[in-house]
């Protein structure tokens, strides 16, 4: 190859790498921007230790929307446990029996809050053994494509619920309907 051909190949290679880098940076910025749009949601909560032999556990969140724009929580993921899953649930009384019902989404009103608690809206966690003293990392994914990661403490069965100041009943007594 002559010197001119080598220079041309180098210029073409550099240009294609620069274009690829520019595209990747632009894509990364878009993902970060989408993820950052959930930054105006304050999230607190905890997970409850699972009784021995329980196939699933429960977690409770309080979500406060600070921007004034309504949000729809579509799903919750377990980044550290790809084999696990999280379902949005609510508990309803039917003929004197509490039954859990799966929800497709939960709407967080603009400027408002949702408090998940025993006997109401909550998260059902499968595929992870929740033990007191450990933590549970969740990724909340909203309908607008934004996401937030949160780490919850796992509280023992006999520990007081932090926001409510009451001991909760074990979660495994509900019937699925």
């Amino acid at each position: 190859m002559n010197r001119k051909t080598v220079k041309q190949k180098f210029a073409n290679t550099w240009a294609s790498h620069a274009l690829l880098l520019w595209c990747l940076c632009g894509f990364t910025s878009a993902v970060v921007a989408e993820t950052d749009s959930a930054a105006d949601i304050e999230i607190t909560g905890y997970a409850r230790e699972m009784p021995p032999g329980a196939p699933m556990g429960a977690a409770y969140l309080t979500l406060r929307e600070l921007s004034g724009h309504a949000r729809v929580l579509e799903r919750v993921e377990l980044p550290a446990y790809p084999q696990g899953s999280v379902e949005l649930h609510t508990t309803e009384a039917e003929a004197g029996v509490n039954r859990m019902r799966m929800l497709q989404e939960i709407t967080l009103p603009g400027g408002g809050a949702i408090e998940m608690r025993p006997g109401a809206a909550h998260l059902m966690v499968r595929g992870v053994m929740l033990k007191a003293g450990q933590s549970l990392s969740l990724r909340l994914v909203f309908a607008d494509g934004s996401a937030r990661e949160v780490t919850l403490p796992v509280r023992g069965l006999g520990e007081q619920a932090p926001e409510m100041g009451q001991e909760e009943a074990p979660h495994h007594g509900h019937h699925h309907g």
Side-chain angles (χ1 to χ4, degrees), residues 67-140:
S67 74
H69 302 288
R71 303 290 178 117
V72 177
L73 177 62
E74 282 191 333
R75 69 182 184 277
V76 179
E77 301 170 347
L78 296 165
Y81 300 95
Q83 79 285 2
S85 65
V86 178
E87 296 175 356
L88 304 169
H89 275 242
T90 191
T91 304
E92 297 174 344
E94 293 178 15
V97 177
N98 283 341
R99 297 192 181 274
M100 285 194 295
R101 184 173 60 90
M102 193 164 83
L103 300 171
Q104 296 303 311
E105 60 189 30
I106 295 177
T107 300
L108 177 58
I114 293 174
E115 182 183 353
M116 296 182 185
R117 62 185 186 283
H122 57 279
L123 304 176
M124 293 303 304
V125 181
R126 298 175 193 265
V128 179
M129 180 52 76
L130 301 174
K131 295 182 182 180
Q134 295 181 339
S135 60
L136 176 66
S137 294
L138 302 173
R139 183 171 191 262
L140 284 64

Side-chain angles (χ1 to χ4, degrees), residues 19-101:
L19 179 61
L20 177 62
L21 183 60
W22 180 80
C23 289
L24 288 173
C25 288
F27 177 73
T28 302
S29 296
V31 170
V32 170
E34 286 181 3
T35 301
D36 284 345
S37 69
D40 50 6
I41 299 173
E42 180 182 279
I43 304 169
T44 58
Y46 66 100
R48 182 57 71 198
E49 177 179 38
M50 294 168 62
M56 63 188 107
Y60 308 98
L61 300 174
T62 297
L63 305 170
R64 293 187 203 302
E65 204 294 316
L66 306 174
S67 74
H69 302 288
R71 303 290 178 117
V72 177
L73 177 62
E74 282 191 333
R75 69 182 184 277
V76 179
E77 301 170 347
L78 296 165
Y81 300 95
Q83 79 285 2
S85 65
V86 178
E87 296 175 356
L88 304 169
H89 275 242
T90 191
T91 304
E92 297 174 344
E94 293 178 15
V97 177
N98 283 341
R99 297 192 181 274
M100 285 194 295
R101 184 173 60 90

